Amino acid sequence: MGLTLAEKILKNHCVDGEFVKGKEIGIRIDQTLTQDATGTMAYLEYEAMGVPRVRTEKSVAYIDHNTLQSGFENADDHRFIGSVTKKHGIYFSRPGNGICHQVHLERFGIPGKTLIGSDSHTPTGGGLGMIAIGAGGLDVAVAMGGGTYYITYPKIVKVELTGKLSPWVAAKDVILEVLRRMSVKGGVGKIIEYTGEGVKTLSVPERATITNMGAELGATTSIFPSDENTLAFLKAQCREDVWVPLAADKDAVYDEELVINLSELEPLVACPHSPDNVKTVKELEGMKIDQVCIGSCTNSSLLDMLKVAHILKGKTVHPDVSLSIAPGSKQVLNMIADCGALSDMIDAGARILESACGPCIGMGQAPNSAGVSLRTFNRNFEGRSGTKDGKIYLLSPETAAASAITGVLTDPRSLGDMPDFVLPEVFTINDNMVAAPIEAEKMNEVEVLRGPNIKPFPETSELDDKLCVPCSLKVGDNITTDHIMPAGSKILPLRSNIPEISKYCFTVCDDKFPERAKSMGASIIVGGENYGQGSSREHAALAPLYLGVKAVLVKSFARIHRANLVNAGILPLEFVNPADYDLISLNDELVIDGLRATVANGGEVKILNKTNGKEVVCRCELTERNKEIILSGGLLNYTKNSI
Ligand code: MIC
Ligand code: SF4
């Protein structure tokens, strides 16, 4: 029986476990990446492990999220990451060099390699034929130290692409169509593998848009084959030496299959407040808009920018609209400056932002009250833009630019003929903003520079045998990490300071939660389906940990967040009978007895609700390794114990 492409790469890298769907496997990690909003914590954790030089083939630290620097905190974090990476043999991509996923694709990604990154959109690398997975900072720290990375051996979904995109229909429309069909929960426990004739019609940056936003499916990752287009891209990046051809076997067996005819797709848009709330642009055409933001790791490649510049050329942004554009990397910015495309954007009235995440993570450009904002980004969760009642629509750069001119949502197919946009034969290569690792002998002399905002990782203790604690919060379905630990310009600077950042934990849902949880001392959170979807931020586990949360009991979890809870030593529990959700209310006193033995033996966990006398039965499905992590009080304790 043949293998799928994902299976081939996983098999090549498997160092532990059996190749059985649903079972845990350990894989060797070739590359890691971090960004600054998760990176400080990841490097503090790495330092705590005491490994002098990273043991991966390549580890890269990027500064791209917290670039607003409205106080000293971000600059201190940048300085810390710059020095700690120098001390441990890690590449350092300086602020201004671009968004981690875009730069990694351009300069570092290699077909057939494994990459984990402390950012949920790490699967962007799947556009190059990598197994690229988003993970918590601690998992990345362990991988940098040479440790194995564990995932549940996923199901593999084949998405067969046929046909060819029509003019002005984009890669973004492909992934929006996948989201429309599969939903934000549809990819949990799965790898999405793209195959078929249609693949050949997509360039690497277009493929990367699709794999990037596969994160919104909840998928472990997404992957494209490595073919002639991959070679052309790598060649243009002067990196053809790393190319290898890769594809699934002809007789590969998949768990699920989906066929998308690219020729039949039309421009799509994800409506507030979920990336899977997809409609056709036609359905909403004419909707009045207030803002357009173009950029983010999903859609900020050179081709995206050239298309946008072409649409804007000789026009003026509609008087009622603010248009911002953030090119994804210094390479992209350099090239649009050299060819005059940047000038066309400026001429039209676009507000040019630095090559960073910016508005995507609420760092500026919050829309006006109840404002309608069209964005080429990947997430439109409530409040993420910085405006609580802002209405965010996700769409392609083509639709965004066409609408910026007219002031209403506009089908880009009305633009007439589309010129042929092709990848350049050679990109402008200048890696002067990436500091390469220094020689091992000199590493000792490097002083790690810490600012006053950088506080150590919170203390964790071994799992208690008996819990007698109240329910400190009850929330519904699809809670995102932006609900649990919001970002934005006010809160992001606190990413290195868990005591401070935890004051904002869950405040989107209930502003009294931090105070209440703290005063309860220890507590349990109750939630619905797909709890913790979205970001990889381990702060969404570390802040609750700091506030005394011992367990999170939900109907189902999103993958990365569940792993982050285990890593933090917080017990992830699931209702055996989802209807039991109704048996627990805020402030109810909950008792769990004999917990250590139940966790160790893998039985069901019984919770007695002392307030109403009812019993709730929960699942706590943990692998042997996860059991030990939970019993020791988290991955850091577990790793220290095993070192
Ligand atoms: C995001 O898009 O939510 C982020 C900010 O990139 C996060 C990481 C973070 O919270 O720092 C992600 O997607 O993992
Ligand atoms: Fe940055 Fe937005 Fe991409 Fe997250 S999704 S890495 S915030 S650009």
Side-chain angles (χ1 to χ4, degrees):
M1 193 171 77
L3 294 177
T4 77
L5 172 55
E7 285 172 335
K8 287 186 190 179
I9 303 177
L10 288 175
K11 234 184 184 143
N12 266 337
H13 287 81
C14 185
V15 288
D16 195 9
E18 291 165 80
F19 249 61
V20 179
K21 310 258 164 187
K23 287 254 178 325
E24 194 175 55
I25 53 164
I27 54 172
R28 190 182 68 249
I29 295 301
D30 302 320
Q31 298 191 342
T32 64
L33 71 79
T34 58
Q35 38 90 337
D36 51 319
T38 53
T40 15
M41 215 28 91
Y43 293 112
L44 288 171
E45 290 153 355
Y46 180 80
E47 281 186 310
M49 285 175 351
V51 183
R53 195 180 179 96
V54 284
R55 297 191 178 142
T56 47
E57 289 174 14
K58 199 157 272 178
S59 287
V60 192
Y62 295 89
I63 306 291
D64 53 2
H65 279 63
N66 294 342
T67 52
L68 209 53
Q69 293 169 235
S70 46
F72 64 92
E73 293 89 347
N74 294 161
D76 280 4
D77 284 354
H78 301 172
R79 200 176 53 152
F80 166 69
I81 295 176
S83 59
V84 80
T85 48
K86 194 167 180 187
K87 197 169 184 68
H88 297 290
I90 299 160
Y91 287 80
F92 177 60
S93 170
R94 292 161 57 185
N97 197 44
I99 306 176
C100 54
H101 309 303
Q102 175 65 26
V103 178
H104 208 84
L105 194 77
E106 293 167 355
R107 307 303 306 143
F108 295 106
I110 300 179
K113 297 279 181 187
T114 53
L115 162 72
I116 65 167
S118 61
D119 192 281
S120 62
H121 291 101
T122 305
T124 311
L128 267 179
M130 305 184 84
I131 286 285
I133 305 179
L138 195 43
D139 282 319
V140 176
V142 168
M144 286 192 286
T148 304
Y149 177 61
Y150 288 85
I151 52 167
T152 307
Y153 184 64
K155 290 189 175 159
I156 317 277
V157 182
K158 172 181 177 182
V159 179
E160 187 178 343
L161 301 178
T162 63
K164 186 176 185 313
L165 290 172
S166 312
W168 302 117
V169 182
K172 182 61 151 267
D173 301 311
V174 179
I175 186 61
L176 288 176
E177 172 65 10
V178 181
L179 273 153
R180 190 184 70 77
R181 295 204 206 170
M182 290 181 70
S183 91
V184 290
K185 294 185 293 198
V188 177
K190 300 173 190 169
I191 291 182
I192 317 294
E193 199 171 306
Y194 291 85
T195 67
E197 284 302 300
V199 164
K200 294 191 192 136
T201 68
L202 299 171
S203 64
V204 166
E206 289 175 304
R207 296 173 184 183
T209 292
I210 297 171
T211 57
N212 169 288
M213 212 174 160
E216 274 53 66
L217 297 163
T220 304
T221 190
S222 304
I223 189 166
F224 273 84
S226 168
D227 58 8
E228 293 302 312
N229 295 2
T230 322
L231 176 60
F233 176 79
L234 288 170
K235 211 167 181 178
Q237 292 286 353
C238 298
R239 300 203 294 123
E240 63 267 39
D241 53 316
V242 301
W243 181 71
V244 281
L246 294 169
D249 290 331
K250 291 228 158 18
D251 55 346
V253 179
Y254 294 86
D255 299 286
E256 286 172 37
E257 296 197 8
L258 213 77
V259 181
I260 295 181
N261 183 346
L262 299 177
S263 319
E264 284 172 1
L265 286 184
E266 56 179 300
L268 297 173
V269 50
C271 304
H273 297 287
S274 183
D276 62 357
N277 187 11
V278 176
K279 294 205 165 77
T280 61
V281 168
K282 274 270 166 278
E283 281 174 82
L284 298 176
E285 210 177 6
M287 174 179 68
K288 200 169 157 9
I289 61 169
D290 300 289
Q291 187 190 49
V292 176
C293 300
I294 297 176
S296 93
C297 56
T298 324
N299 276 117
S300 59
S301 68
L302 179 66
L303 279 188
D304 285 335
M305 293 297 138
L306 292 178
K307 288 179 190 168
V308 168
H310 170 84
I311 296 170
L312 296 179
K313 192 178 167 92
K315 311 263 176 29
T316 301
V317 174
H318 189 276
D320 298 340
V321 174
S322 158
L323 166 67
S324 72
I325 303 179
S329 68
K330 171 170 160 283
Q331 182 182 73
V332 173
L333 184 54
N334 251 178
M335 291 183 75
I336 58 173
D338 285 346
C339 74
L342 180 61
S343 184
D344 295 333
M345 293 171 172
I346 298 171
D347 231 26
R351 302 166 66 181
I352 307 299
L353 306 179
E354 71 172 311
S355 295
C357 300
C360 178
I361 191 58
M363 283 303 220
Q365 304 294 321
N368 54 286
S369 296
V372 172
S373 177
L374 307 186
R375 301 180 165 209
T376 64
F377 307 166
N378 46 38
R379 289 186 174 146
N380 57 350
F381 303 146
E382 202 173 355
R384 180 173 160 106
S385 65
T387 300
K388 211 165 176 212
D389 57 0
K391 298 188 190 65
I392 313 300
Y393 293 79
L394 308 173
L395 34 61
S396 70
E398 291 85 335
T399 310
S403 308
I405 303 295
T406 57
V408 293
L409 182 66
T410 301
D411 188 329
R413 290 173 300 178
S414 62
L415 292 167
D417 289 345
M418 186 181 90
D420 221 2
F421 295 101
V422 279
L423 277 185
E425 274 177 25
V426 204
F427 286 91
T428 303
I429 313 286
N430 183 356
D431 292 327
N432 60 342
M433 292 295 278
V434 181
I438 57 171
E439 298 111 71
E441 311 81 70
K442 298 211 177 124
M443 280 177 7
N444 268 345
E445 294 157 26
V446 177
E447 186 198 348
V448 177
L449 306 166
R450 287 165 224 276
N453 185 48
I454 301 178
K455 298 280 186 281
F457 189 84
E459 297 254 325
T460 59
S461 52
E462 288 195 342
L463 180 74
D464 296 314
D465 193 43
K466 179 167 182 175
L467 286 181
C468 192
V469 296
C471 165
S472 55
L473 184 74
K474 187 169 178 186
V475 286
D477 290 345
N478 289 322
I479 286 294
T480 72
T481 48
D482 280 287
H483 291 108
I484 307 174
M485 199 57 263
S489 55
K490 193 163 141 206
I491 306 176
L492 268 181
L494 305 173
R495 281 291 182 89
S496 320
N497 187 338
I498 300 297
E500 272 308 304
I501 205 169
S502 55
K503 293 181 184 157
Y504 298 91
C505 185
F506 267 118
T507 46
V508 179
C509 306
D510 177 346
D511 58 4
K512 297 279 172 326
F513 170 74
E515 225 175 286
R516 182 168 64 241
K518 197 105 220 272
S519 68
M520 285 173 166
S523 66
I524 290 183
I525 290 176
V526 174
E529 300 280 4
N530 199 23
Y531 178 90
Q533 68 163 322
S535 150
S536 69
R537 59 189 75 149
E538 56 190 338
H539 304 76
L542 298 180
L545 171 74
Y546 179 80
L547 295 172
V549 174
K550 299 287 178 191
V552 176
L553 168 58
V554 298
K555 293 184 187 169
S556 65
F557 284 103
R559 179 187 66 89
I560 307 180
H561 184 61
R562 186 181 192 277
N564 283 339
L565 287 174
V566 171
N567 287 352
I570 297 178
L571 200 60
L573 299 172
E574 283 166 284
F575 290 102
V576 168
N577 175 7
D580 285 358
Y581 172 82
D582 296 331
L583 297 182
I584 304 179
S585 307
L586 180 66
N587 292 325
D588 281 2
E589 277 298 321
L590 309 172
V591 182
I592 317 180
D593 219 344
L595 195 49
R596 289 189 69 85
T598 317
V599 165
N601 302 328
E604 284 177 338
V605 176
K606 297 201 170 71
I607 301 185
L608 172 68
N609 185 340
K610 264 184 31 183
T611 310
N612 61 15
K614 301 270 198 270
E615 188 179 76
V616 172
V617 184
C618 330
R619 247 191 319 266
C620 181
E621 278 168 7
L622 295 170
T623 61
E624 289 309 313
R625 195 178 135 271
N626 279 343
K627 283 178 190 168
E628 283 181 41
I629 294 175
I630 284 282
L631 290 169
S632 358
L635 182 58
L636 204 55
N637 286 359
Y638 168 82
T639 310
K640 275 195 217 150
N641 295 348
S642 44
I643 286 177

